[in-house]
Amino acid sequence: MNHSELAAFLKSRRARIRPSDVGLPSGPRRRVPGLRREEVSQLAGLSADYYTELERGRGAQPSAQVLAALSRALRLNGDERDHLFHLAGRLVPPATHGPTAHVQPALLGLLDQLTTTPAQVITDLHEILVQNHLAAALIGRPPTASGPEASLVHRWFTDPGARGIYPVEDHPHHSRVLVADLQAVAARRGGDTEVQRMVAALRRRSQEFADLWDTHDVALRRTDHKRIVHATLGVIELDCHSLFSEDGRQRLLWFSAPPGTEGAAQLQLLSVIGAQDMTPSAPELGRPQA
């Protein structure tokens, strides 16, 4: 790991980004040309102290997940992202697989423009790659887990807590939608071992999944109507939309509500709540957990 070069590279990438580029207010008395350190740490879901140590050329070797989060926060292109991994002494992961995947620039550019509605980019296995602060306020931060546990599909059928943001009576609908979507993804990937392992594991661990898989229902999830249970605002009824990348491996997902509806009013309130609290609600990356 090249501590000094990594620190210099992070500083240079931070300096080139304007707050407005990533949906942050410019504000008065800004003494740096780009983002502040604490803003990068917030965008990446890291502790401010941990990121500061990286920029000072100190600290432990960052994980692949931390590097992927920094790549997204700093809006690195593919070559810059690979360079970051090399400086940190990490193998560069595949560009389109798993929670460390590099977000496709077109989707990331669109996400940056969605500042008034919850939005996030996910993989075709429903692993959250990056989200805006309204999506975090609505559904929470993504898990810090790697491997199959990073996928909502996997957690939905193996961890009852993953269903907590939806009313119980809606669970069967979401189960059917997730399995039908996975059927389509499995066919598109053409025998991909990652999907095969996930399907085999879920068939063993969940009878509900096995029964739904055996129906052979197939439907990519393009739009959906959701009721989301929010701790402060109650049940919010929203429409969920998906825009697929050209290769189908990533999706820009955003939530909306028709003007004049209660859901639209709740989204406005969510904007206020989200703007007041930008501290990551999940355990921060780069900070040892109890």
Side-chain angles (χ1 to χ4, degrees):
M1 174 176 171
N2 192 327
H3 286 86
S4 61
E5 287 297 321
L6 176 64
F9 185 64
L10 290 173
K11 291 176 186 176
S12 70
R13 299 307 89 182
R14 174 168 63 86
R16 71 176 182 173
I17 301 177
R18 297 171 299 177
S20 58
D21 293 337
V22 292
L24 295 175
S26 297
R29 301 178 183 177
R30 183 170 286 272
R31 293 179 295 177
V32 294
L35 297 179
R36 300 185 178 100
R37 286 174 175 169
E38 57 267 26
E39 290 170 335
V40 174
S41 66
Q42 288 173 353
L43 290 169
L46 308 174
S47 72
D49 290 344
Y50 178 78
Y51 180 73
T52 297
E53 287 295 291
L54 288 179
E55 277 209 5
R56 288 176 176 170
R58 300 197 293 264
Q61 182 186 33
S63 68
Q65 188 176 8
V66 166
L67 294 172
L70 285 172
S71 297
R72 295 162 195 151
L74 295 170
R75 301 309 191 251
L76 303 186
N77 62 33
D79 291 334
E80 291 170 331
R81 178 237 191 193
D82 292 353
H83 185 62
L84 179 66
F85 272 76
H86 290 311
L87 290 177
R90 294 288 185 187
L91 293 176
V92 179
T96 58
H97 294 84
T100 59
H102 187 57
V103 182
Q104 298 198 15
L107 297 185
L108 191 57
L110 287 172
L111 177 68
D112 287 341
Q113 303 304 312
L114 296 174
T115 58
T116 60
T117 192
Q120 58 190 18
V121 177
I122 66 174
T123 70
D124 55 355
L125 295 182
H126 296 260
E127 301 151 326
I128 296 177
L129 299 178
V130 62
Q131 60 183 181
N132 63 18
H133 73 283
L134 287 178
L138 178 65
I139 63 175
R141 298 283 182 180
T144 58
S146 59
E149 289 77 14
S151 165
L152 172 61
V153 182
H154 186 277
R155 297 196 314 278
W156 182 264
F157 292 100
T158 60
D159 177 10
R163 304 188 178 200
I165 65 170
Y166 298 109
V168 173
E169 57 269 27
D170 294 352
H171 291 180
H173 164 76
H174 293 302
S175 295
R176 291 192 300 272
V177 168
L178 287 171
V179 174
D181 186 85
L182 184 60
Q183 283 274 14
V185 169
R188 283 188 166 197
R189 287 202 182 189
D192 181 271
T193 56
E194 181 182 18
V195 178
Q196 290 179 340
R197 287 196 299 266
M198 177 179 288
V199 170
L202 290 176
R203 287 183 67 91
R204 290 193 304 268
R205 298 183 61 179
S206 170
Q207 187 61 48
E208 180 190 18
F209 177 88
D211 291 342
L212 289 171
W213 189 260
D214 289 339
T215 67
H216 299 284
D217 290 340
V218 179
L220 283 172
R221 189 181 71 172
R222 295 180 173 88
T223 61
D224 199 4
H225 186 76
K226 292 178 177 287
R227 296 193 303 160
I228 296 176
V229 180
H230 189 271
T232 303
L233 301 176
V235 178
I236 310 175
E237 291 203 31
L238 299 169
D239 294 317
C240 177
H241 314 273
S242 295
L243 177 66
F244 292 70
S245 63
E246 187 174 354
D247 63 3
R249 293 294 184 96
Q250 296 181 9
R251 309 172 186 183
L252 173 64
L253 186 151
W254 72 99
F255 299 89
S256 66
T261 63
E262 183 179 2
Q266 288 170 306
L267 280 184
Q268 288 184 327
L269 289 174
L270 185 72
S271 298
V272 176
I273 295 172
Q276 289 177 341
D277 182 14
M278 295 216 27
T279 303
S281 57
E284 292 174 326
L285 297 173
R287 174 178 291 177
Q289 303 302 314

